Amino acid sequence: MQLLAANHADDSQPSSDSNRRTSLDGYLLFDLSPLPQLVLSPSCCITRASSHFLAEWHLAREDCIGQELIPFVEKQLRPQNSFSVCYLTAAIDDAITSRTERTSQSIVTQHATAWKARILPIFQEHELLAIVVEWLEAPATLLEHDEIVRPGLSTDEAFRILVQAVKDYAIFLLDTKGRIATWNTGAELLKGYRRDEIIGKHFSIFYGQDDLEIRKPDLELDICLREGRVEDEGWRYKKDGTRFWANVIITAVYKDGVHVGFGKVTRDLSERKTAESRLISAYEESEKIKSDFLANMSHEIRTPMHGMLSACSLLLDTPLTDKQKDIVHIMDESGQVLLQVINDILDYSKLASGSFFITSDIVGISSIITSVVRSVQTTLLPSVHFELFLAPDLPKSVQGDPLRYRQVLHNIVNNAAKFTDKGSIRVRALLQGEDEDSFFVMTEITDTGIGISEPAAATLFTPFTQFDITTTKRYKGTGLGLSIAKALAELMGGTIGYRPNPDRHGSIFWFTARFKKIKSLEQIQDWKRGPNGRTESLSPHPIISSPDLQAELAKAAATKTLLLVEDNVINQKVMLGMLRSLGFRNVALASNGAEAVQVVKGKPAAYDLVLMDINMPILDGNEAAVKIRESGIHIPIVAMTAYALKGDKERCLEHGMDDYIPKPVDKKWLIKTLSKWLLRARDYRKSLVDSRMSRLALPEPGQGLNLLGRTDQVTQTDSPDVEVKPVAQYPAANGYGSELSLSDDQQEQVALGHIHQEELAQSSGQESQPEPAAPAVPAAPAVPAAPAVPAATAVPMDVVVVEQSEVVVGTGQEGQTTPSGSPGQVPQP
Amino acid sequence: MSHTYDRDGEDSFNMAYFGDHVHLATFNQILEMDEDGEHDFSEPLVFNFFEQADETFENMDVALAAEDLDELSKLGHFLKGSSATLGFTKIKDSCQVIQQYGHKQTVEGTAEPDKAVCLGKIKEAINTLKTDKIDLEKTIKKFFGIEDK
C-alpha cells in the first residue's frame, strides 16, 4: 500500500527539526508521557521515540530512529499477525485525509502485547508537519494454543467508508426524533436531496400524503422501537415530486443501552415492481384471450353442430333406404362424438385453468349410480351384464356435487361398456371412511373387457392419450375423459386409480370422493322447503333434480294411497302404469265424479291425494271437487285436464282443487306435482286435527286442563312380498343381457332406503306422519314380469284407519307440536 | 356418448314410419312403462285403444244419424282424451274437430250456429278418423312386430 503521506511533503531530515528539539518542555512532555509515543515525518519515518515506547517495545532508540514506520512495525509483530500492519496503514491514511485523529485496530507484537495506534496528523495550514503515534495497550485474548484472537474487521471508519460509497441504497441515520443525521451517495442519488439541504429535516419528507394521513412515519418508528426493526414497502417521494416503489428497513440504534437514533436503508424497487405488474397484466391478458377464444370456439362450433345433429334426426324420421339410413346413422354418430370431443375439451380447459367449481347440493349416491347404470346398459352388448353392489352403510343423502359425481362415474362406466365384449361390468360403492364432517365414498368399476397393458396404464390419466394406438382407431374418443375424471375426483377431495382385474382379464377403475354430512334438520328443510301453498307456481323445484326427486317420491310412494278419478279406461291404464312406475302401490279407481265423492266421503282420511279428471259423465271433476270440499275434507285434489289453456288452472282452483296437470300427463310434471303435495305439503289430516284442537282450546285458554283430542293414525300393512336387499346382485336375465334385470322402482327402493324418515324422526324426536313403523322398504321381486294392472283388479286398499287412538295434549297453545316435516306452515282452512 | 343402435335404432327406425300420426315423446312415455324389453304394457294398451276407437266410431255413426250434436261432442271428447294420452296426434285432432262442432263451434272457438255445417264437418272428421285409425293400426302392428293379416 502506498502511503498518502508520501505525497504531502519532501523528505525532511530528522535534523531539520532540531530547532524545535531545543524546546525542552515539549521534548520532556513527549519523552516522559506515560503513553508510548512516536513522532513520524510526513513520509512516515520515525523521528522520535518516547522512553516509554522503547521500554514497552523492548527496543533501543537506535533501532527506531530513521526507520520507516511500516517495515519497522512489521518486524516487531508476531509472525502470524504480520498482515495486521495494514490496520495501521489504513488508520494513518484516514487520519491524514480527514486531518483528524484516528485509532487503528489492535496489532500484536512479539511480546504478545496488543496495541492500538492513535494517529494524530499535525498540520500547519495545508502542510503536514508530522504524525504523532500514541500506542494504546489493548486487551488481548489468549486462545488454547496460545493464539491471540484478533478482534473483528469492523470499524466505524470502515463502515463509514463503505456506507458513504454505496450508490444503490440510500443509507442514513436518523436521530431519536426522526430527523436526518447522515446522508450517503446512494441517498443523494435516490432521493435527489443534497446532504446540506436534507440534514436536520424530518424523514417524513419522503412519504406521500396518504401515508402521512395515517401517520405512517411515526408508526414505523414506534414499531421499530418496540421490535428493534421495521420493514415496509411502499411509495416514497423524491425531491422533484416523482415517486418510486421502495423497500425500507429501519433499525433502532443503541449505544451503551441508550437509544440514540435509527438507521434507515431504502431500496428502489420500481423496476422490479414494473416488471411484476407487466408480467401480471400479460398473464391476465393471455388468460382472457384464451377463455374468450374457448367460449367463442365452443359457441361457434356447437351451434352448427346442433343444427347438423337436429337435421340428422329429422332425416332419420323420413323414409330412407337401408343404405341411406346407415349413412345418416354414421353422420349422426360422428356428430355426437365430435360434440362430445368439444365438450370434453371445454371441460378440460376449464379444469386446467381452475375455473371449474364444485357446487353443493344433496347427493343421492345410490340413485346416481343406478341411474348411470341404467343409462349405460342400453349400450351394452347382449353378452355383457351389469352387477350392482351398494354397501348397506352407504349414506343415502350427502352434500356434494351430484353432477360431477355422475360425470366421473358415467365416464368410467361408459368406458367399461365400450371396452367389454362379454362378461360383466360390476359397479360397487362402499363407505371407505368417515369423520365428523364427511363421508369418504369409494366407487369401483370392474369389467372383464380387453384390459390395459402395463406400459399404457402409466399414461391412463394423461390428457389426450388413449391407451393404445391400435384401439384408437377402433374406439372413438378424445382421450380426455379419464383426465377430466381425475381432475373432477380431485376437486371432490378424492383420488382416482386403476389396477388390473385380478380374476381375469379386464380392468378395475376406482375413485373416491369426499361428501359432507348433512348435519341439521334445518339443512334438509332448506333444501326441501318448496311449494306448499295454493298460490305456488308450478316451477320445478330449484334444487333437487328430477331423478333425485323421483327417487324421493318413489320412497314415499309405498306408503301413500291415491284415488284416481278417470272415465276413460285407456287413460286409467296409462295413469295406473305411470303411478306404478313411480312406486305407488295403492291406487284406487273411480270412473266418474259421483263415484269419487262417494269413495272419499266413505273414508275421509284414507287417501293422501286425488287425481281428478275434469270432463266426466254423471258428475264432472269440478262438481266432484266442490262436493268433497263441502263435506269438510281437505284432501289435496289435483285436476287432470286436456285444456292446457290459461284460466283452466284458475277454474280448477275455484272449484276447490289444489293444483292441475295438463293432459296428456307428462311424467316429469306428474312427479313434480305429486312431490309437491305428498312430500312438501303438510298432511291435510294434521290440519284437521289441529283445527279441531284449536277449536277445543279456544274457549278456555291458558287453563291447565288436559284436553283430549283425536288424531288420525294410519297404519299400513306391508305387502307380502316385502324384502329388504341391502346388498343386491342382479345378474342379467337369460338371453337379454342388455336389459338390467331390475325394475325401475326396485332400483330406487334399493337406492333410497329409508334414510329420510329416520333422520327426520331422530332430529325432531316426534314423528306422527303415517309412516310404517318398521324401516322395511318394499322391493319388488327380482324379476318383475307384472303385466299392466287391469282396471277391474286395481290395487286393493290396504289401509286401515285407526281413529280411536287418543293423544293427550297439554295446555292449549303449547300443546301444539309442529310436525318436523313442515315447519311454520299454516294449517289449511 | 355414442350409442349402439341395435335395439334403440330398431325402434327409431320404425318410429320414423309413424310420421305425424304419433307424438313420439308421449308415446315413448308409454313404451317406457314396459318392462323386460317386451311390450307387455304398451301393446295390449294400444290395442285396447283401437277397440275403444271402433266402439266410439259406432256410437258416433249412430249419433250422426240422429244428428245428436251433444252426444257427438261428448264422444269426440272421450276419444280425444285417450288418443292424447297415447300420443296419437291425428286421431286426437279429428276428435277435437268433432267435439268443437258438436258444441257448434269452429276449432278456433268461434260460434258456428249452422247445424248442417257442423254435421258436415263432423262427418268429414269421422271419415278422416276412420282412415287415420286404419293407417295407424298398420304401422303400430309393424312396430310391435305383429303380422298384418
Side-chain angles (χ1 to χ4, degrees):
Chain A
M1 171 184 255
Q2 180 82 29
L3 279 183
L4 288 168
N7 303 327
H8 265 267
D10 303 328
D11 272 1
S12 32
Q13 294 299 314
S15 59
S16 70
D17 291 334
S18 58
N19 56 335
R20 270 170 214 152
R21 215 181 292 155
T22 54
S23 161
L24 210 112
D25 283 356
Y27 180 79
L28 276 177
L29 284 176
F30 167 79
D31 196 39
L32 301 177
S33 165
L35 287 177
Q37 292 188 43
L38 291 174
V39 176
L40 309 180
S41 74
S43 56
C44 278
C45 287
I46 299 168
T47 53
R48 289 184 202 177
S50 73
S51 305
H52 266 91
F53 176 80
L54 298 172
E56 296 281 351
W57 286 56
H58 307 280
L59 291 167
R61 200 173 298 269
E62 310 82 75
D63 299 332
C64 323
I65 303 300
Q67 299 283 324
E68 276 195 48
L69 178 72
I70 302 305
F72 163 79
V73 172
E74 252 174 345
K75 274 185 260 171
Q76 304 299 321
L77 295 178
R78 284 171 74 89
Q80 303 95 321
N81 273 290
S82 56
F83 62 89
S84 60
V85 76
C86 66
Y87 302 151
L88 194 58
T89 334
I92 294 169
D93 279 354
D94 194 24
I96 291 167
T97 318
S98 58
R99 297 191 178 192
T100 181
E101 163 274 325
R102 289 283 182 266
T103 306
S104 78
Q105 293 277 352
S106 47
I107 57 176
V108 184
T109 64
Q110 290 164 346
H111 307 284
T113 317
W115 297 101
K116 285 183 174 182
R118 185 169 175 244
I119 316 293
L120 304 162
I122 311 293
F123 277 87
Q124 188 172 51
E125 299 295 324
H126 293 296
E127 190 194 350
L128 178 68
L129 294 179
I131 301 160
V132 178
V133 182
E134 294 178 357
W135 296 96
L136 313 168
E137 201 169 340
T141 321
L142 285 174
L143 285 181
E144 295 161 33
H145 305 294
D146 195 26
E147 191 49 59
I148 294 162
V149 173
R150 67 195 160 92
L153 250 175
S154 59
T155 68
D156 288 353
E157 288 70 31
F159 276 123
R160 202 193 301 268
I161 291 163
L162 286 171
V163 166
Q164 196 57 46
V166 169
K167 284 185 178 171
D168 294 335
Y169 294 79
I171 302 173
F172 51 96
L173 292 170
L174 309 175
D175 69 10
T176 51
K177 301 270 186 261
R179 287 184 298 254
I180 293 153
T182 68
W183 201 241
N184 76 338
T185 316
E188 195 171 322
L189 289 171
L190 190 53
K191 313 242 185 192
Y193 295 97
R194 288 197 319 279
R195 173 193 296 264
D196 53 350
E197 61 189 0
I198 196 69
I199 299 283
K201 298 255 169 60
H202 195 267
F203 80 109
S204 56
I205 194 169
F206 307 128
Y207 288 77
Q209 198 56 43
D210 297 349
D211 286 346
L212 292 176
E213 273 167 18
I214 57 165
R215 295 168 34 82
K216 194 170 179 183
D218 294 338
L219 282 172
E220 285 183 349
L221 293 190
D222 283 353
I223 296 168
C224 186
L225 277 178
R226 216 166 41 239
E227 313 277 334
R229 181 179 183 279
V230 66
E231 187 166 356
D232 179 40
E233 259 187 38
W235 293 110
R236 296 291 184 274
Y237 290 79
K238 300 187 184 187
K239 187 186 175 187
D240 62 8
T242 58
R243 62 179 191 175
F244 62 99
W245 188 261
N247 170 279
V248 178
I249 297 170
I250 304 176
T251 321
V253 178
Y254 293 88
K255 194 168 188 178
D256 302 326
V258 179
H259 176 237
V260 292
F262 301 93
K264 192 161 185 277
V265 179
T266 306
R267 206 156 33 122
D268 183 359
L269 297 181
S270 304
E271 246 173 68
R272 207 175 83 186
K273 179 85 179 165
T274 334
E276 267 173 18
S277 57
R278 259 203 309 269
L279 262 177
I280 291 168
S281 63
Y283 174 77
E284 282 169 352
E285 178 74 9
S286 73
E287 273 301 289
K288 194 181 169 299
I289 290 173
K290 192 173 114 186
S291 57
D292 285 358
F293 171 74
L294 280 171
N296 259 324
M297 189 193 79
S298 68
H299 180 76
E300 294 302 327
I301 297 179
R302 277 200 284 194
T303 310
M305 276 303 299
H306 282 301
M308 203 196 89
L309 290 172
S310 319
C312 268
S313 65
L314 286 177
L315 190 55
L316 279 171
D317 286 347
T318 59
L320 295 173
T321 66
D322 282 356
K323 201 174 175 201
Q324 287 170 329
K325 195 180 64 178
D326 280 350
I327 293 169
V328 178
H329 269 302
I330 291 168
M331 285 165 64
D332 186 53
E333 205 179 322
S334 308
Q336 297 287 0
V337 171
L338 185 52
L339 199 60
Q340 184 60 43
V341 170
I342 294 163
N343 289 336
D344 275 3
I345 291 173
L346 268 174
D347 269 7
Y348 184 74
S349 15
K350 272 199 227 158
L351 284 164
S353 67
S355 55
F356 209 100
F357 296 107
I358 290 290
T359 61
S360 191
D361 204 339
I362 285 191
V363 183
I365 295 169
S366 315
S367 60
I368 291 178
I369 293 174
T370 47
S371 126
V372 166
V373 165
R374 205 178 312 153
S375 86
V376 174
Q377 57 109 2
T378 59
T379 70
L380 284 186
L381 296 171
S383 48
V384 185
H385 67 272
F386 260 117
E387 290 170 7
L388 186 62
F389 292 89
L390 300 172
D393 58 348
L394 201 63
K396 300 301 183 291
S397 300
V398 292
Q399 193 185 340
D401 191 329
L403 270 180
R404 299 305 156 214
Y405 179 79
R406 180 188 293 265
Q407 197 176 345
V408 177
L409 182 70
H410 192 275
N411 186 290
I412 298 177
V413 174
N414 207 33
N415 272 346
K418 204 156 65 169
F419 296 117
T420 306
D421 289 340
K422 58 175 190 290
S424 65
I425 297 168
R426 181 188 306 153
V427 181
R428 204 160 71 95
L430 51 101
L431 185 60
Q432 197 182 36
E434 61 180 297
D435 61 21
E436 205 178 319
D437 303 313
S438 321
F439 290 114
F440 298 91
V441 175
M442 149 84 86
T443 316
E444 199 181 74
I445 295 91
T446 309
D447 67 52
T448 58
I450 58 176
I452 293 161
S453 71
E454 208 168 304
T459 58
L460 265 181
F461 299 100
T462 314
F464 301 106
T465 53
Q466 267 201 337
F467 68 88
D468 192 357
I469 301 155
T470 53
T471 52
T472 309
K473 284 173 187 148
R474 208 175 126 203
Y475 305 100
K476 300 179 196 76
T478 48
L480 272 176
L482 282 176
S483 44
I484 292 171
K486 178 171 187 276
L488 288 175
E490 282 163 6
L491 268 180
M492 289 190 291
T495 48
I496 195 166
Y498 160 82
R499 62 176 184 272
N501 188 344
D503 298 337
R504 37 190 181 155
H505 63 98
S507 319
I508 300 177
F509 280 90
W510 55 267
F511 70 99
T512 57
R514 197 176 79 98
F515 292 102
K516 280 197 196 135
K517 290 186 177 176
I518 296 173
K519 289 238 164 133
S520 62
L521 184 66
E522 285 77 43
Q523 220 176 333
I524 297 173
Q525 279 163 357
D526 281 347
W527 275 305
K528 276 191 167 184
R529 196 160 291 143
N532 51 27
R534 295 182 176 200
T535 53
E536 283 286 342
S537 71
L538 286 165
S539 63
H541 194 269
I543 292 173
I544 298 182
S545 56
S546 200
D548 289 344
L549 193 63
Q550 183 176 350
E552 196 187 338
L553 183 65
K555 183 212 66 194
T559 64
K560 302 288 181 189
T561 306
L562 306 184
L563 176 64
L564 175 66
V565 190
E566 167 67 64
D567 64 324
N568 192 314
V569 68
I570 298 291
N571 291 356
Q572 281 178 3
K573 285 182 183 176
V574 170
M575 281 307 295
L576 282 174
M578 215 181 263
L579 289 170
R580 190 170 46 86
S581 80
L582 293 179
F584 289 92
R585 289 288 171 270
N586 304 315
V587 184
L589 268 175
S591 54
N592 62 58
E595 223 175 278
V597 174
Q598 201 185 338
V599 170
V600 172
K601 279 166 94 173
K603 290 179 176 174
Y607 301 97
D608 293 281
L609 185 135
V610 178
L611 283 166
M612 181 88 80
D613 185 28
I614 297 302
N615 218 322
M616 288 179 296
I618 306 169
L619 191 69
D620 77 12
N622 283 329
E623 291 167 58
V626 171
K627 283 203 185 319
I628 290 171
R629 293 293 181 240
E630 274 171 3
S631 56
I633 298 167
H634 298 281
I635 184 169
I637 304 175
V638 176
M640 300 182 292
T641 170
Y643 314 117
L645 298 170
K646 264 191 176 173
D648 285 345
K649 186 181 173 191
E650 285 68 24
R651 202 173 309 128
C652 299
L653 300 185
E654 275 167 29
H655 286 88
M657 287 189 250
D658 297 289
D659 212 333
Y660 97 124
I661 305 175
K663 269 179 155 180
V665 173
D666 175 77
K667 193 167 171 180
K668 288 193 198 83
W669 198 314
L670 182 66
I671 290 167
K672 256 182 256 164
T673 310
L674 290 178
S675 304
K676 173 175 156 185
W677 292 102
L678 296 176
L679 303 176
R680 315 275 179 248
R682 179 183 174 81
D683 192 306
Y684 73 98
R685 286 159 293 210
K686 283 186 182 145
S687 310
L688 196 66
V689 175
D690 285 349
S691 60
R692 251 187 255 167
M693 292 287 187
S694 38
R695 271 204 303 278
L696 282 170
L698 270 174
E700 300 165 311
Q703 292 205 5
L705 288 174
N706 281 348
L707 295 163
L708 296 183
R710 293 163 76 111
T711 189
D712 308 55
Q713 255 189 4
V714 181
T715 51
Q716 184 176 357
T717 56
D718 293 328
S719 322
D721 57 349
V722 163
E723 196 182 343
V724 183
K725 283 190 173 178
V727 182
Q729 179 178 1
Y730 302 103
N734 284 344
Y736 230 112
S738 64
E739 281 293 325
L740 185 71
S741 59
L742 274 178
S743 71
D744 285 6
D745 40 52
Q746 188 182 13
Q747 287 181 18
E748 269 134 23
Q749 304 290 9
V750 173
L752 265 139
H754 51 272
I755 194 76
H756 273 314
Q757 277 96 347
E758 282 189 351
E759 277 170 0
L760 286 169
Q762 279 163 12
S763 318
S764 66
Q766 288 193 28
E767 183 58 65
S768 50
Q769 290 222 332
E771 302 287 358
V777 173
V783 185
V789 180
T793 61
V795 183
M797 281 176 282
D798 300 326
V799 177
V800 181
V801 182
V802 185
E803 285 246 35
Q804 50 270 58
S805 74
E806 289 173 345
V807 177
V808 177
V809 180
T811 58
Q813 288 86 347
E814 54 183 82
Q816 310 277 329
T817 51
T818 309
S820 57
S822 48
Q825 285 181 16
V826 183
Q828 289 176 7
Chain B
M1 192 179 76
S2 67
H3 280 280
T4 56
Y5 45 89
D6 301 327
R7 270 196 68 250
D8 284 359
E10 204 72 23
D11 282 0
S12 56
F13 157 58
N14 283 321
M15 290 261 199
Y17 283 84
F18 290 155
D20 52 359
H21 271 294
V22 177
H23 185 256
L24 291 182
T26 310
F27 189 60
N28 267 329
Q29 209 170 255
I30 306 296
L31 295 180
E32 276 166 20
M33 285 185 247
D34 287 329
E35 285 160 0
D36 281 349
E38 304 293 330
H39 296 299
D40 282 355
F41 177 76
S42 56
E43 200 182 302
L45 184 72
V46 169
F47 288 101
N48 278 346
F49 170 79
F50 288 136
E51 286 162 24
Q52 185 182 71
D54 287 336
E55 281 168 32
T56 313
F57 293 163
E58 280 170 30
N59 292 336
M60 280 177 174
D61 288 340
V62 174
L64 188 64
E67 298 189 354
D68 186 346
L69 282 183
D70 209 35
E71 179 63 17
L72 283 167
S73 179
K74 275 182 191 162
L75 290 167
H77 173 81
F78 176 75
L79 196 61
K80 186 182 85 176
S82 43
S83 55
T85 298
L86 297 179
F88 296 158
T89 322
K90 275 194 170 181
I91 294 184
K92 187 199 79 185
D93 290 346
S94 296
C95 288
Q96 176 73 7
V97 172
I98 296 167
Q99 187 189 346
Q100 288 297 98
Y101 281 100
H103 275 312
K104 291 192 173 178
Q105 280 181 357
T106 64
V107 181
E108 287 74 33
T110 51
E112 176 52 74
D114 191 334
K115 192 174 177 181
V117 173
C118 291
L119 286 170
K121 290 277 183 190
I122 289 171
K123 192 173 183 196
E124 206 179 295
I126 291 174
N127 287 337
T128 319
L129 207 50
K130 287 177 178 166
T131 43
D132 283 347
K133 185 242 157 191
I134 292 166
D135 285 353
L136 178 67
E137 201 168 359
K138 269 185 200 159
T139 38
I140 287 278
K141 277 184 175 166
K142 206 188 273 177
F143 171 76
F144 285 128
I146 295 166
E147 289 301 311
D148 199 10
K149 287 151 198 168

